[in-house]
């Protein structure tokens, strides 16, 4: 899974992070349901875009 949800106790909000390469804050939500909905949407869009991106060729060693 590319995205991660964490609860921040100080601000009391659910944070959504993109964990690919560098962890980046993507969104802040008042409920876990809203954060999960955003992650599902982001995962769906990311998976769709991966279908159209050519995979890099790997050299056989």
């Amino acid at each position: 899974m590319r995205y991660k949800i964490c609860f921040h106790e100080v601000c009391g909000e659910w944070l959504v992070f993109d964990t690919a390469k560098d962890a980046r804050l993507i969104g802040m939500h008042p409920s876990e349901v809203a954060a999960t909905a955003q992650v599902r949407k982001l995962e769906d869009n990311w998976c769709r875009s991966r279908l159209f991106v050519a995979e890099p060729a790997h050299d056989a060693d």
Side-chain angles (χ1 to χ4, degrees), residues 1-4 17-24 26 46:
M1 186 174 219
R2 179 176 174 165
Y3 300 97
K4 183 177 180 180
F17 291 96
D18 181 353
T19 58
K21 295 183 184 175
D22 299 324
R24 295 183 303 153
I26 300 295
W46 180 67

Side-chain angles (χ1 to χ4, degrees), residues 7-15 28:
F7 182 73
H8 192 276
E9 292 184 19
V10 175
C11 68
E13 293 190 323
W14 291 88
L15 310 178
M28 298 173 68

Side-chain angles (χ1 to χ4, degrees), residues 50 54-61:
R50 281 191 77 211
E55 293 293 325
H58 298 285
D59 295 333
D61 290 330

